[in-house]
Amino acid sequence: MQKTAIFLADGFEEIEALTVVDLLRRAKIDITMVSIMESKSVYGSHEIAVEADTTFEDFNFSGVDMLILPGGQPGTRNLYACEPLKDKIKEFNAEGKMLAAICAAPTVYGKMGLLKGKKATCYPGCEVDLTGADFQTSPVVKDGNFITSRGMGTAIDFGLAIIEHFQGINAAKDMAERIVYKA
C-alpha cells in the first residue's frame, strides 16, 4: 500500500488539506495527518479545528512514499519555519521520493532551492518564492518527484494527480467520476 503524510500547521488552508485526505482515503492510499504543532489539535486559516492523526515528533517516516504540504497562511510560513520538516523534505528529495504542495506551500520547496530547473506552480503572487523554477499556470504541474498546484480551487485536481501518480490515470478518472467531478 502506498503511504503518504500531509503536514498541518496552524493557519493551514482547510479545503486544500482535507480534500486531499478525503480523496486519498477513498482511493485506499494511506495518508496520515501530521501536526507540526505541539499537539494533534491544529487550527486552519479559517479557525476550523482539526485533530491530526499524530504529531511530527511521534510520526514514523518508515515506508512513507510522499510528503504533502497544504497552503494557507500563516500555515505555509509555519511549515517553512519547522526545521525538522525541512530536514525530512531534503532527505526525501535526495532519495528521489515524491514531494507535493498546493497554493503557497510550493514556496517551501522553492525557498529551499529544490525547484531549480523544475516546472512548478503556486498561488498567484507567490511565484517570486519559487526560486529557479519554470513557473506554470496550469492547475497542477508534475515534474520529476514534484507535484504542485495553485490553490483551493484546484484541490480536487491536486488530489486526483496524487491518485494518478500512485494508481494510474484510470484510477484518477474513476475517482473523478465517483465524486461527480468534471475537470
Side-chain angles (χ1 to χ4, degrees), residues 11-162:
F12 74 96
E13 171 51 57
E14 296 93 340
I15 295 295
E16 295 164 1
L18 298 178
T19 298
V20 170
V21 171
D22 182 278
L23 287 171
L24 270 58
R25 288 186 178 170
R26 287 173 190 254
K28 305 294 187 235
I29 295 170
D30 185 338
I31 183 165
T32 302
M33 295 185 297
V34 182
S35 167
I36 67 160
M37 310 310 291
E38 291 181 10
S39 75
K40 292 194 302 185
S41 294
V42 188
Y43 287 86
S45 58
H46 300 96
E47 300 178 23
I48 299 171
V50 172
E51 185 81 6
D53 299 312
T54 189
T55 62
F56 188 92
E57 181 179 285
D58 293 334
F59 185 60
N60 180 355
F61 283 86
S62 178
V64 174
D65 302 298
M66 178 186 286
L67 305 182
I68 305 167
L69 306 180
Q73 293 296 1
T76 297
R77 287 189 297 273
N78 289 333
L79 291 172
Y80 185 74
C82 182
E83 292 301 324
L85 175 59
K86 290 196 306 191
D87 289 343
K88 280 295 178 186
I89 290 168
K90 288 176 196 171
E91 179 184 314
F92 269 60
N93 190 57
E95 294 173 4
K97 289 186 174 182
M98 293 301 296
L99 297 167
I102 184 171
C103 194
T107 65
V108 172
Y109 303 146
K111 289 178 184 179
M112 293 174 66
L114 304 179
L115 294 176
K116 288 181 180 161
K118 302 264 187 198
K119 292 179 182 172
T121 195
C122 64
Y123 188 77
C126 294
E127 306 89 280
V128 68
D129 289 324
L130 294 184
T131 308
D134 177 3
F135 176 71
Q136 308 285 304
T137 58
S138 301
V140 177
V141 175
K142 295 176 260 181
D143 191 349
N145 61 316
F146 290 91
I147 300 174
T148 55
S149 189
R150 305 236 32 216
M152 184 178 96
T154 63
I156 292 175
D157 297 300
F158 181 59
L160 293 174
I162 294 170

